[in-house]
């Protein structure tokens, strides 16, 4: 078939790039450096990307210009001086034009040309592309550098096409500008674009009516000259500053705080907030407290202080109230920087229409009708946002190797490996794609990182005689899960935001960007490369190769704990005496969050075989009686006490609605095996006998424990069965020690680097029991008879040396006919679940445990 082609569209190139904004320009520069033949296409009439289209009044960047600029060429940096802390759209566009000129990039860009379709040709190992003009061309590699917020959302308001007056879309603003002088103007939408444009439109218009569906958090930008501190830091050590940005959380060098909103004194909270408020920087106000992105109470402190500021500015109390965001946590919808936004509502010709109270019924020929009022306007500005992140990618009809389109593959949400590639679409790259930090970061830093990664990948492939790359299904599924894990520990999924796809009717609700941070993300990408392109399948003249695997398997907050512990260089506990190890644990425990409030806590003692045993009782806030849980702490039979698992016991009490009685027992090496078992059995007998007095429901007794406490709980259930009582209704074994064989695979795979080490377990066993005793079922319950035991909830953690013996116990119980709920805590370590309010990803597992216990309670009686 003959193929028509415009003279300036080549038939074949190495790489096609879609987009000529920050991403496309830098990519062209790097590809040319590699000697690859590349051509870029952009629908726009010139370079600039988002800064080409978004010319509405007040359009500015909201990352400081000291940071919102390329860093790949120090000469370029020296060449350009920004006039303001936050540059206007014309200045940023001028910068990008300067970049295009400086590196002579325009000769490889086809403007006014949209790529409409792309299909992978497997036999030829090339992409075949088509433009809107019908031109066709092919390339080895196809890169979408099309931006995250480049496709304006289609108007989803009844009657939107009916209006006869002037209509403007902030994301497609006329180049000649708009004169609003003397006009009655409406702005629909109060996101960043609305908030930036409203004060300027108000300054021209005869009247301005703002239609607000959701109020937004915004702080004053305090624009002016670039920050002298940042300029000085750049002047002193430009390379160091840029490197710090690359390894920062958000792509701008900033200090991370460890001040928690929950525990900081009021004056510290206020001071930190006011400092951030004065800074006029988004990353400042997003980082007032270490826990504001993950803890609602901490978040609400910041949110309330911002609401106070809004009320302090807006004269009319009702208008102020309507402008205060209240139904989503601060930061979970993109916050804004403004110049006199809230002040604008004090002007007599500006009116706010709160669509929550009176929604838009329809756009009419003359204006807008709400459910209670008809408005007439000369102009309507839609600042209604974008089909973010996935929209621009699926707007091209991309067909992969197996004939499936990208849109179809992503019908339930984007699925990518590192936000860079997607399985089934070989040699197809995305710059700042979904599931990369992109919109949660300084875009320029993230763009440079992606472009560098892609360029480096192509360079290596060429050097190794490879010409096809595609992620594996395993690697991709792992990355998607990791993204979800990261989002799940934050408050982000609680908002109906464009981050969640919630602004576009019918779009799947999944969290789109990677929230783990620029630094963590860069580390993951670098590791993938260092491990021989882990998770990628490569092919070419050199032959196929694949190092398959998942780059991040540990829960993100657990990984942070592990990193922190590694950085502290703590002495291994097995090098200490038992006394020193106990003192060490007490110091560590003193600094942890307290756990949830319970109804009542009582400290008392119960009679044991060799003296009184201290216990701590936790009572739920609800009216009793409650089910009872006899609980035994962890600590390898050497460490701990009745209150050493305090936060976990509180959590267990609240989640299960049970009275939890945490009983201490004698410890080794002072009292070796079987002293702990004897104490634990006596304690359970006493608790069962005193159930009513303790506020328990007789006959509803769970015996529970973590680690060595789980070992005791399992053994006590066996002993109670053999002794004919007490009656135990269920057992909860959390990462239990069930056997003295330290040769199981999890002892090697998880024996180091996951808090509980194989060496420490050896140390515990050595303190607790002699060789022959260890094999006794009262030390190694896996070796006992398991038939006739109470129904069990057994919890094992993926990265625990004790995982395999826990799994074995769950399997053996089931094989013996005992009802078992086996919960496998994916991505967790031995201590994850007891680190309440530190390892946030442990909370859903604890909820599952509580649900499983409730399920066992509802199950028909065992006999
Ligand atoms: P946006 O944040 O999605 O805001 C759109 C606004 O329109 C929201 O208030 C939304 O209300 C409202 N809206 C949408 N559909 C509506 C409907 N059918 N009826 C009534 N109201 C409707 O879009 P944006 O302001 O263009 O900003 C998008 C992103 O671009 C920003 O978050 C930011 O990342 C980026 N941006 C950056 C800058 C900068 O750097 N300075 C400037 C502009 C934009 P709901 O909230 O209820 O959906």
């Amino acid at each position: 078939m003959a193929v028509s082609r415009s003279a300036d569209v080549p038939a074949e190139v190495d790489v096609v790039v879609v987009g000529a904004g920050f991403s496309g320009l830098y990519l062209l520069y790097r590809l040319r450096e590699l000697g690859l033949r590349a051509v870029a296409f952009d629908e726009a009439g010139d370079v600039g990307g988002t800064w080409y289209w978004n010319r509405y009044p007040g359009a500015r960047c909201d990352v400081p210009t000291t940071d919102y600029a390329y860093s790949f060429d120090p000469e370029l940096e020296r060449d350009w001086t920004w006039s303001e802390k936050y540059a206007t759209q014309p200045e940023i566009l001028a910068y990008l034009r300067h970049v295009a000129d400086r590196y002579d990039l325009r000769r490889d860009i086809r403007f006014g040309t949209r790529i409409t379709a792309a299909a992978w040709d497997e036999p030829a190992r090339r992409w075949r592309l088509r433009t809107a003009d019908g031109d066709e061309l092919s390339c080895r590699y196809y890169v979408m550098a099309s931006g995250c917020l480049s496709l304006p959302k289609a108007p989803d308001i009844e009657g939107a096409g009916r209006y006869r007056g002037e209509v403007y879309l902030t994301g497609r603003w006329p180049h000649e500008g708009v004169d609003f002088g003397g006009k009655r103007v409406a702005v629909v939408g109060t996101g960043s674009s609305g908030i930036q444009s409203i004060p300027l439109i108000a300054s021209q218009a005869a009247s301005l009516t703002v239609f607000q569906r959701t109020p937004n958090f915004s702080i004053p930008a305090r624009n002016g000259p670039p920050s002298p501190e940042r300029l000085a830091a750049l002047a002193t050590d430009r390379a160091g500053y840029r490197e710090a940005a690359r390894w920062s959380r958000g792509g701008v060098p900033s200090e991370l705080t460890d001040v928690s909103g929950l525990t900081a004194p009021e004056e510290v909270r206020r001071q930190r907030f006011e400092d951030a408020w004065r800074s006029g920087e988004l990353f400042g106000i997003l980082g007032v407290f270490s826990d504001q992105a993950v803890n609602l109470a901490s978040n609400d402190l910041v949110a309330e202080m911002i609401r106070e500021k809004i009320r302090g500015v807006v004269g009319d109390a009702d208008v102020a109230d309507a402008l205060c965001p209240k139904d989503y946590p601060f930061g979970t919808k993109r916050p804004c920087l403004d110049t006199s936004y809230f002040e604008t509502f004090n002007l007599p010709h500006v009116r706010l229409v709160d669509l929550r109270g009176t929604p838009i019924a329809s756009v009419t020929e003359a204006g807008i009708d709400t459910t209670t009022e008809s408005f007439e306007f000369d102009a309507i500005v839609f600042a209604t946002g974008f089909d973010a992140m996935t929209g621009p990618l699926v707007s091209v009809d991309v067909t992969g190797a197996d004939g499936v389109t990208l849109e179809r593959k992503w019908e339930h949400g984007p699925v990518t490996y590192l936000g860079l590639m997607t399985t089934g679409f070989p040699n197809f790259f995305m710059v700042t794609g979904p599931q990369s930090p992109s919109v949660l970061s300084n875009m320029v830093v993230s763009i440079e990182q992606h472009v560098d990664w892609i360029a480096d990948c192509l360079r290596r492939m060429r050097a190794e005689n490879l010409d096809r790359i595609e992620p594996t299904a395993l690697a991709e599924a792992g990355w998607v899960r990791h993204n979800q894990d990261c989002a799940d520990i934050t408050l982000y999924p609680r908002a109906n935001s464009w981050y969640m796809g919630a602004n576009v009717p019918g779009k799947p609700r999944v969290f789109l960007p990677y929230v783990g941070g620029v630094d963590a993300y860069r580390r993951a990408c670098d590791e993938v490369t260092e491990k021989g392109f882990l998770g990628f399948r490569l092919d070419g003249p050199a032959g196929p190769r694949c190092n398959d695997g998942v780059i991040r398997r540990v829960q993100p907050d657990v990984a942070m704990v592990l990193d922190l512990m590694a950085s502290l260089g703590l002495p291994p506990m097995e090098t200490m005496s038992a006394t020193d190890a106990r003192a060490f644990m007490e110091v560590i425990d003193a600094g942890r969050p307290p756990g949830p409030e319970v109804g009542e806590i009582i400290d008392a003692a119960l009679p044991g075989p060799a003296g009184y045993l201290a216990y701590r009782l936790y009572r739920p806030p609800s009216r009793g009686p409650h089910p009872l849980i006899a609980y035994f702490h962890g600590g390898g039979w050497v460490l701990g006490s009745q209150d050493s698992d305090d936060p976990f016991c509180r959590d267990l009490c609240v989640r299960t609605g049970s009275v939890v009685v945490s009983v201490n027992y004698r410890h080794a090496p002072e009292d070796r095996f079987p002293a702990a078992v004897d104490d634990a059995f006596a304690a359970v007998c006493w608790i069962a006998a005193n159930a009513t007095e303790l506020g328990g429901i007789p006959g509803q007794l769970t015996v529970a424990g973590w680690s060595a406490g789980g070992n005791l709980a399992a053994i006590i259930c066996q002993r109670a069965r053999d002794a004919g009582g007490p009656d135990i209704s269920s057992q909860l074994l959390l990462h239990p020690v069930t056997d003295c064989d330290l040769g199981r695979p999890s002892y090697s795979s998880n024996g180091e680097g996951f808090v509980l080490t194989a060496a420490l377990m050896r140390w515990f066993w050595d303190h607790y029991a002699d060789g022959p005793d260890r094999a006794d079922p009262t030390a190694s319950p896996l070796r006992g008879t398991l038939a006739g035991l109470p129904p069990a909830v057994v919890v094992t953690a993926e990265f625990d040396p004790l995982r395999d013996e826990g799994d074995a116990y769950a399997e053996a119980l089931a094989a013996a006919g005992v009802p078992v709920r086996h919960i496998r805590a994916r991505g967790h370590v031995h201590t994850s679940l007891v680190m309440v309010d530190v390892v946030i990803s442990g909370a859903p597992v604890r909820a599952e445990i509580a649900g499983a216990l409730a399920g066992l309670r509802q199950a028909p009686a065992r006999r």
Side-chain angles (χ1 to χ4, degrees), residues 4 81 133 165 193 205 220 233 240 262 310 379 424 430 516 520 528 542 573 580 683 693 696 702 744 769 772 838:
S4 70
T81 308
D133 303 326
S193 307
L262 297 185
I310 297 172
M430 296 164 279
V528 163
M573 226 176 323
D580 288 349
E693 293 76 4
T702 301
R744 290 189 165 78
V838 175

Side-chain angles (χ1 to χ4, degrees), residues 464-552:
E464 295 174 36
N465 218 7
L466 297 162
D467 59 13
R468 189 189 193 279
I469 181 167
E470 181 187 350
T472 69
L474 177 74
E476 181 169 90
W479 186 252
V480 172
R481 206 168 41 225
H482 175 59
N483 264 267
Q484 196 57 48
D485 287 344
C486 289
D488 284 348
I489 59 177
T490 72
L491 302 171
Y492 279 102
R494 299 191 187 205
N496 291 325
S497 64
W498 60 257
Y499 295 142
M500 290 290 295
N503 65 327
V504 176
K507 194 167 171 173
R509 296 280 177 109
V510 289
F511 192 70
L512 295 169
Y514 177 68
V515 71
V518 163
D519 46 354
Y521 177 77
R522 181 182 288 269
R523 235 187 331 270
C525 290
D526 288 358
E527 264 177 60
V528 163
T529 316
E530 281 155 21
K531 291 180 175 164
F533 285 107
L534 178 72
F536 283 106
R537 187 164 284 118
L538 295 116
D539 207 346
R545 75 172 63 155
C546 178
N547 176 19
D548 205 358
V550 171
I551 185 68
R552 289 287 177 262

Side-chain angles (χ1 to χ4, degrees), residues 15-29 31 39-43 47-50 53 70 109 115 141-151 389 392-393 396 419-420 428-434 443 446-448 450-451 454:
V15 190
V16 163
V17 175
V18 173
F22 267 100
S23 308
L25 292 180
Y26 181 44
L27 193 58
L28 272 185
Y29 170 87
L31 295 172
V39 62
F41 291 87
D42 200 306
E43 213 180 335
V47 299
T50 195
W53 297 106
Y70 290 120
I109 308 174
I115 296 289
Y141 304 103
Y142 162 41
V143 189
M144 285 296 274
S146 43
C148 298
L149 294 154
S150 49
L151 184 69
M389 305 204 73
L393 296 165
V396 176
L420 275 163
F428 168 64
F429 296 89
M430 296 164 279
V431 180
T432 62
M443 284 299 290
S446 288
I447 285 169
E448 285 194 333
H450 262 194
V451 169
I454 293 167

Side-chain angles (χ1 to χ4, degrees), residues 338-351:
D338 71 88
T339 303
S340 308
Y341 172 66
F342 293 110
E343 289 82 347
T344 301
F345 292 92
N346 292 334
L347 299 173
H349 68 297
V350 176
R351 177 170 168 198

